Amino acid sequence: MRSILFFITFVALVATNVSYACTTAVISGKYTNDGRPLLWKLRDTGTDDNKLMYFDEGKFSFVGLVNSEDEAMQVWSGANEAGFAIMNSASFNIRENDTSLVRDREGVVMRMALENCATLTDFENFLDTLPRPMGLEANFGVIDANGGAAYYETSDFKYVKYDANSAEEAPLGYIIRTNYSNIGKANVGYGFIRFQTASELFYEAAGAGNINVRFLMNDVSRSLYNSLTDVDLYDNLPTDNSGSKYVYNTDCIVRYSTTASMTIQGVKKGEDPSLTTLWSIIGNPISSVTIPVWVNKNLPTILTASAKQHSQLCDWSLELKHKMYPISRGSGQAYMNMSVVANKQNTGIVQKIKPFEKIIYRKGEALLEKFIRKGKTNDKDLELFYNDVDDSVKGFYLNSLL
């Protein structure tokens, strides 16, 4: 494993990166239709620009979600060539040492874990070796190629594991976390309404045997339901997109601060880890599309960029996001113009995206099935698929949305 000196040096050099709220889940492969575990994160942050990057500087190569202009390349979710995957949600109720200057190091730790870990046990050993205080206040979700699936509620000095494969700890096969931890102070933190909303959506889907990638990326990541008010903003749509109908959606799962969503579909025990699939939305889920990628040095050009350059898809998504949230002064960002999102004439942004996205799903699922039959991924097939994605998504945005 890479020297812990790297961690100490990073802590000294990297400016504090405040983690914002996220909604996340870990799902055991015992409870999915295909027997493969799932790791889901809907990311909320004050940094609008995200992109995917391929890394090959550590023990394992990996693909991770990063802030476009982050020189340090902290990673906010990703998977490596060994089938190990990780993401996090910030926690705000387990800080043990308020005087410590070492904090907000989740992105650093996740990059190091992806570079060095192959299993949940590796990750636990990695956490055990980090110097204290660790600068962490987070819920880390992790899956591996052995069927492991768990959360690690992690503070400056300790962590507690919650096993999604345990009938006692996850009776329905999944664990959800927002922005507080069970081991922390009661009634302190953020995301209580989002947690309840996600819990209701997951419970209904579990009863129907419907917890899968499309459910996570479409039904949950684009949910405008508020469990406290019992109001779903999709239920009372404006007539068309010509006017303005502002709605308050700050306590919904997706809101102004949402910048990406990712579901990492793991592998069955014994399968080649290269089959691990990162179903990715780069940009706000209402104004962006789901695209699957695999751990490979080649990625769709619209999802990635070099140095401090931006993802093209994220830029397109942000252009649409400004139409969804046109008021920038005061608390205007809490109010979304529902007319341009969805309306009774089906001319809203998300209403155009969903039919197009189904085409990508069908092609991506067919490609994954081909890889499964052959036992591993294939560079030529990936190149053809990514070229098709680049061309079709570019044409869709330029001709139908922008």
Side-chain angles (χ1 to χ4, degrees), residues 373-386:
R373 290 194 303 271
K374 291 182 175 295
K376 61 180 181 180
T377 58
N378 176 277
D379 286 351
K380 183 61 176 178
D381 287 332
L382 286 177
E383 181 182 2
L384 291 173
F385 176 72
Y386 291 161

Side-chain angles (χ1 to χ4, degrees), residues 102-335:
V102 182
R103 56 178 61 201
D104 299 317
R105 305 307 169 195
E106 291 79 11
V108 176
V109 165
M110 286 190 286
R111 173 173 177 166
M112 293 176 66
L114 287 163
E115 288 178 327
N116 293 288
C117 299
T119 66
L120 268 62
T121 300
D122 288 345
F123 181 64
E124 293 162 17
N125 292 336
F126 166 68
L127 289 178
D128 289 337
T129 61
L130 290 179
R132 269 57 173 169
M134 293 187 285
L136 300 175
E137 191 177 17
N139 306 311
F140 291 109
V142 179
I143 61 174
D144 65 26
N146 296 323
Y151 267 108
Y152 295 84
E153 294 187 350
T154 310
S155 65
D156 274 331
F157 298 96
K158 66 182 180 181
Y159 63 86
V160 174
K161 178 181 180 180
Y162 294 83
D163 191 347
N165 287 314
S166 167
E168 291 75 24
E169 297 179 19
L172 296 178
Y174 59 82
I175 303 173
I176 299 168
R177 288 290 184 272
T178 51
N179 304 112
Y180 60 94
S181 300
N182 289 354
I183 63 172
K185 299 174 184 177
N187 300 316
V188 176
Y190 302 94
F192 296 98
I193 296 173
R194 284 183 286 111
F195 177 86
Q196 182 59 35
T197 300
S199 296
E200 291 182 19
L201 295 173
F202 270 71
Y203 185 79
E204 182 178 350
N210 193 37
I211 296 183
N212 52 40
V213 171
R214 294 200 191 198
F215 162 73
L216 294 170
M217 299 301 279
N218 187 37
D219 299 348
V220 188
S221 295
R222 294 180 176 129
S223 172
L224 291 174
Y225 173 62
N226 184 311
S227 56
L228 182 64
T229 61
D230 193 29
V231 172
D232 190 328
L233 297 176
Y234 289 119
D235 287 344
N236 185 23
L237 296 179
T239 301
D240 54 39
N241 63 0
S242 61
S244 297
K245 179 183 179 181
Y246 288 101
V247 294
Y248 179 84
N249 77 310
T250 296
D251 287 320
C252 295
I253 289 176
V254 62
R255 51 259 176 83
Y256 179 84
S257 60
T258 304
T259 62
S261 183
M262 180 180 289
T263 296
I264 302 175
Q265 185 177 13
V267 298
K268 296 179 182 179
K269 190 173 183 178
E271 287 185 329
D272 193 294
S274 71
L275 299 174
T276 302
T277 309
L278 298 84
W279 298 86
S280 309
I281 294 178
I282 305 302
N284 189 285
I286 290 179
S287 59
S288 188
V289 298
T290 303
I291 299 173
V293 303
W294 289 264
V295 180
N296 188 281
K297 63 181 178 181
N298 296 314
L299 295 168
T301 59
I302 59 172
L303 300 184
T304 190
S306 60
K308 291 186 176 183
Q309 300 303 307
H310 294 182
S311 153
Q312 182 66 74
L313 180 58
C314 192
D315 284 347
W316 290 332
S317 173
L318 285 173
E319 186 173 342
L320 294 172
K321 179 179 172 179
H322 295 322
K323 296 179 181 180
M324 293 157 46
Y325 297 91
I327 303 175
S328 59
R329 63 186 181 186
S331 59
Q333 293 176 347
Y335 295 89

